[in-house]
Amino acid sequence: MLSLGATTHEIRFPMRVAIVENTRVTEVGQVGIALAEAGAKTATIRAYAGEPLPDLDDFDALVVFGGEQNARDDEKHPYLPELASLMRRFGDSAKAVLGICLGSQLLARAYGGDNLIGAAPEFGWRSIGRTEAGRRDPVLSAMPDRFLSFQWHDDTFTLPQGSAHLAENEAARHQAFRIGRAAYGFQFHFEANREVVRNWMTHFPEVIERKEPGWLNRHPEIEPTDGQLSDEAGLELARAWVRQIRPS
């Protein structure tokens, strides 16, 4: 029997997070670390391989990673419109959404933004700055005014109406945005820690050399500095986003 001063505690279940992959070589990196720290239960969906997209009611949050396709490549990847619609349903339900690179472009598409194909090529560890809205944002407030993260993209997007513009740099003005309570799009790969980057180098050396000639040779010099700073910023961002998930 409980004493008069005793309290009962609500039973808490692990947060359930759906992770959508858009390409064969997908790395969860810092996002995976932050989810594991929080005790999240994750399910990975290989959408690029034809696996069915997750149901809204089965998950508390949705993560959509990058891929080599663009956000309007519906002919080759016919699931993309459905994925964009799913991201919007999660966002409209006030569930946490995280779109990285292609995922951010799909989130912008979902809410009426334009996808600008080939308009903003960028590669490597690059500096990113918070906007004034970013300083007030629950996730971007974890960052200093300028920080480093890894970039690998050619496309960009216009901001959906009603979204908050959170981060920018000289190559792509729309580096991060939020729409609604916790639907976030990040153009940069903050999940890509040094291990992830080295894995990409192993899988795609020719692609990287074409995109940024000489970068592979410079990598050993810049990884210990830029890579470490990017890792630290990426983990803080990942933890801050995970804190926006509301377990049901």
Side-chain angles (χ1 to χ4, degrees):
M1 179 179 295
L2 292 173
S3 67
L4 292 178
T7 59
T8 59
H9 296 277
E10 179 184 355
I11 298 174
R12 303 185 66 86
F13 296 97
M15 62 183 72
R16 302 163 300 165
V17 181
I19 297 174
V20 175
E21 297 183 350
N22 291 296
T23 190
R24 181 177 60 84
V25 182
T26 299
E27 307 276 359
V28 296
Q30 307 298 68
V31 173
I33 292 172
L35 287 170
E37 289 176 345
K41 181 179 180 180
T42 63
T44 299
I45 297 93
R46 299 181 302 162
Y48 69 92
E51 294 182 356
L53 295 177
D55 291 330
L56 172 69
D57 293 338
D58 292 340
F59 295 95
D60 304 308
L62 175 66
V63 177
V64 179
F65 280 115
E68 64 273 12
Q69 63 270 55
N70 69 61
R72 299 282 177 174
D73 202 1
D74 298 351
E75 184 174 349
K76 293 182 180 178
H77 304 275
Y79 71 90
L80 290 177
E82 183 183 356
L83 178 54
S85 176
L86 179 67
M87 296 178 80
R88 178 158 188 162
R89 294 200 302 276
F90 267 81
D92 288 350
S93 299
K95 294 185 176 185
V97 178
L98 174 59
I100 293 180
C101 198
L102 173 62
S104 72
Q105 297 156 13
L106 286 169
L107 185 64
R109 171 183 177 172
Y111 280 95
D114 293 327
N115 296 110
L116 308 177
I117 309 304
E122 192 175 15
F123 183 85
W125 287 294
R126 300 292 180 88
S127 179
I128 299 163
R130 290 189 307 181
T131 64
E132 185 59 38
R135 296 185 183 97
R136 300 189 302 269
D137 181 77
V139 173
L140 268 292
S141 60
M143 292 292 98
D145 281 342
R146 295 205 72 85
F147 57 93
L148 286 179
S149 194
F150 199 81
Q151 302 276 9
W152 190 344
H153 63 93
D154 290 304
D155 306 338
T156 186
F157 48 82
T158 63
L159 290 177
Q161 185 174 3
S163 62
H165 180 207
L166 305 178
E168 61 189 357
N169 74 2
E170 295 75 14
R173 182 163 182 262
H174 299 147
Q175 290 284 349
F177 71 98
R178 187 194 77 250
I179 191 157
R181 186 191 73 84
Y184 283 85
F186 290 88
Q187 181 58 72
F188 52 95
H189 285 278
F190 72 85
E191 88 284 8
N193 56 34
R194 284 167 287 180
E195 181 179 353
V196 169
V197 172
R198 288 193 294 269
N199 190 43
W200 287 347
M201 291 167 59
T202 299
H203 280 90
F204 310 111
E206 297 85 0
V207 177
I208 292 173
E209 184 61 27
R210 287 196 303 269
K211 187 161 186 63
E212 192 74 17
W215 189 88
L216 291 170
N217 290 331
R218 296 195 302 274
H219 172 265
E221 300 176 8
I222 58 179
E223 186 199 63
T225 53
D226 291 0
Q228 179 175 344
L229 291 172
S230 177
D231 285 6
E232 293 169 357
L235 189 53
E236 287 306 307
L237 270 177
R239 288 167 171 163
W241 178 79
V242 168
R243 288 195 291 270
Q244 309 313 307
I245 302 173
R246 294 174 175 172
S248 56

